[in-house]
Amino acid sequence: MKLQKNTYNTFNINGLNLVLLFLLTCLSCSKDGDTVYVQDPDDAASTAPLVIVIYDPNAVGDGNYNDLIYQGVEQAAKEYGLRTMQLSPSSRQEGLAYLQTFFQQMSTAQDTVRRLFIVAAASYDDYLRQNNDRLAANPYADLLYLETPTPLTGKGSTLYLPYYGAMYEAGAIAQFMASDVLLVAANSKEETLARAVSGFTEGFNTDYVQYPARLNCTKSLITEYLSDKAGEGFTLADTTALRIMYNREGDSYFKMIVPVCGGAARTFQHLCDLLGDYEYMGIDVASNSTNSPLAAVKHIDRAVALCISQWLSPEGMPKHQALGLADGYTGVEIEKDNSILYTVLQNNESDDVLSDELLTKIHNDAIRKEAEYEK
């Protein structure tokens, strides 16, 4: 189901009652008892499988993680001939209303249309875990919850892309590119964020490089949280971002900001490009900024597309799967020419250049560290 409401083909209406009425219509049976009506230009009816995605409030349009999910779903829909409905609520209350409507309708539906409900929102964790088994009586309704290391009890599958290894690798490489790092995380409550912060911190603090005395600098890492509440800290005003950057400004010329904060990362990237005081590390996707020499990436688009193909297969989706650095679903991308400090080290013929051999060692260390951490 492709609803042309905005650039992202995502349904987001302020009138909650109108939205719920629409969803009730879309998820109910037709007069024939086995058809879901399709809201498309020719107003035809279809029995094609339906993929429904719900995001955290205002998540779609972040330019990285959530947009990758959107793209992965649409690519899979095009490949397999599916209908989609992607929902980006304006508030958590609106998102919970979507969830309640879906669970009510899918738990009692009498048709045979296959539906996959994907929840890409950690802020609804409690509700999901308390209600997912309501779908057990409907063999045509399935649930996929992104991203959690903890499987669901009862019906539903979970997907988890461990980020510890990629962030460890990025942290280890970042020390060749900046001596002072400001790591900004959305909040201190969500487990996936905590793992990413821990991975980068350990990698950066592991001494893969010793700065020559002539550079007169030592490593420094400061971590700042935008919120102490789960689900918050993913949007940010320019003025707030500026305050965070300059309240934590170090003395060194080699500075980098690492924004593990969803859509708020774009605010920091914009300011880094505008002011030129910091280098910028891409998160989830590589940045095209000239001030961004490094990115830790998540191929969540490919992972979601994989899950959809599994859902359509006779075997179905695994109960839980984790796809991390060793599997190629997370990784690091480097643009060495954009790094001031890397260039300085190279020009001074330091023994601590970022050679291919050292990159291989860091990568293998990161895979091992992720395996140990995830145990």
Side-chain angles (χ1 to χ4, degrees):
M1 180 174 299
K2 300 190 175 181
L3 304 171
Q4 301 291 345
K5 301 306 295 184
N6 56 35
T7 303
Y8 288 91
N9 199 31
T10 305
F11 202 61
N12 187 350
I13 292 180
N14 291 329
L16 183 56
N17 290 336
L18 180 59
V19 175
L20 296 182
L21 178 61
F22 178 83
L23 296 182
L24 287 169
T25 302
C26 291
L27 295 179
S28 62
C29 304
S30 73
K31 61 184 178 182
D32 297 322
D34 61 355
T35 303
V36 172
Y37 284 115
V38 184
Q39 307 295 315
D40 60 17
D42 60 11
D43 200 27
S46 173
T47 57
L50 174 63
V51 178
I52 306 156
V53 190
I54 183 168
Y55 297 88
D56 272 315
N58 302 307
V60 176
D62 63 0
N64 46 33
Y65 180 81
N66 290 286
D67 286 1
L68 285 176
I69 294 173
Y70 175 91
Q71 294 165 15
V73 170
E74 293 302 324
Q75 289 165 2
K78 182 177 180 180
E79 180 177 355
Y80 298 112
L82 311 175
R83 294 171 299 146
T84 67
M85 179 161 51
Q86 305 217 41
L87 302 167
S88 185
S90 59
S91 66
R92 186 173 184 274
Q93 180 184 10
E94 186 172 295
L96 284 172
Y98 290 153
L99 282 171
Q100 291 162 1
T101 300
F102 280 125
F103 275 98
Q104 177 184 346
Q105 292 299 308
M106 289 201 291
S107 63
T108 59
Q110 298 299 310
D111 59 52
T112 59
V113 175
R114 295 192 63 187
R115 302 181 183 95
L116 175 62
F117 186 31
I118 301 176
V119 179
S123 57
Y124 309 125
D125 184 88
D126 289 346
Y127 182 87
L128 271 184
R129 295 187 184 278
Q130 293 169 10
N131 290 274
N132 63 298
D133 229 21
R134 292 170 59 187
L135 305 180
N138 186 346
Y140 303 103
D142 291 284
L143 173 66
L144 173 62
Y145 180 25
L146 315 176
E147 268 192 73
T148 174
T150 308
L152 291 169
T153 300
K155 188 164 186 177
S157 297
T158 46
L159 172 67
Y160 174 49
L161 270 59
Y163 215 16
Y164 188 92
M167 290 296 286
Y168 176 96
E169 184 172 348
I173 295 170
Q175 65 188 276
F176 290 84
M177 302 178 172
S179 55
D180 285 354
V181 170
L182 172 61
L183 193 160
V184 182
N187 63 71
S188 57
K189 299 300 181 182
E190 294 184 24
E191 188 174 5
T192 54
L193 294 174
R195 291 170 181 240
V197 170
S198 294
F200 185 91
T201 300
E202 183 178 0
F204 186 81
N205 288 332
T206 301
D207 290 328
Y208 289 99
V209 59
Q210 297 291 334
Y211 296 126
R214 61 185 175 276
L215 292 183
N216 192 30
C217 61
T218 57
K219 289 191 297 184
S220 172
L221 172 63
I222 295 172
T223 301
E224 175 94 5
Y225 291 95
L226 299 178
S227 175
D228 59 358
K229 297 180 180 179
E232 294 187 357
F234 296 101
T235 58
L236 191 67
D238 285 4
T239 52
T240 305
L242 274 172
R243 176 184 56 78
I244 291 170
M245 292 169 66
Y246 286 101
N247 282 354
R248 297 292 187 268
E249 187 174 9
D251 296 329
S252 171
Y253 183 64
F254 308 113
K255 301 193 292 290
M256 178 183 287
I257 190 163
V258 180
V260 191
C261 48
R266 298 179 69 182
T267 302
F268 287 108
Q269 179 178 355
H270 168 70
L271 292 173
C272 288
D273 289 343
L274 181 66
L275 302 173
D277 290 341
Y278 279 85
E279 292 191 291
Y280 170 89
M281 181 174 134
I283 297 292
D284 297 337
V285 295
S287 170
N288 58 7
S289 168
T290 57
N291 294 316
S292 180
L294 177 69
V297 297
K298 268 192 177 185
H299 302 294
I300 187 66
D301 51 341
R302 291 199 284 114
V304 169
L306 171 66
C307 290
I308 291 174
S309 70
Q310 293 169 336
W311 172 61
L312 294 169
S313 72
E315 296 79 15
M317 290 183 295
K319 181 66 177 173
H320 178 77
Q321 52 190 328
L323 304 169
L325 187 62
D327 307 293
Y329 282 86
T330 67
V332 173
E333 296 184 11
I334 308 171
E335 182 53 65
K336 297 177 183 176
D337 293 339
N338 284 352
S339 169
I340 297 173
L341 183 55
Y342 178 85
T343 302
V344 170
L345 291 176
Q346 291 281 21
N347 291 342
N348 283 277
E349 298 180 353
S350 167
D351 293 333
D352 294 308
V353 296
L354 195 56
S355 65
D356 290 340
E357 291 78 13
L358 183 53
L359 282 172
T360 299
K361 172 178 169 50
I362 291 173
H363 180 70
N364 291 335
D365 286 350
I367 290 175
R368 175 176 53 82
K369 290 283 187 178
E370 181 167 272
E372 293 172 353
Y373 185 86
E374 292 300 327
K375 284 182 179 180

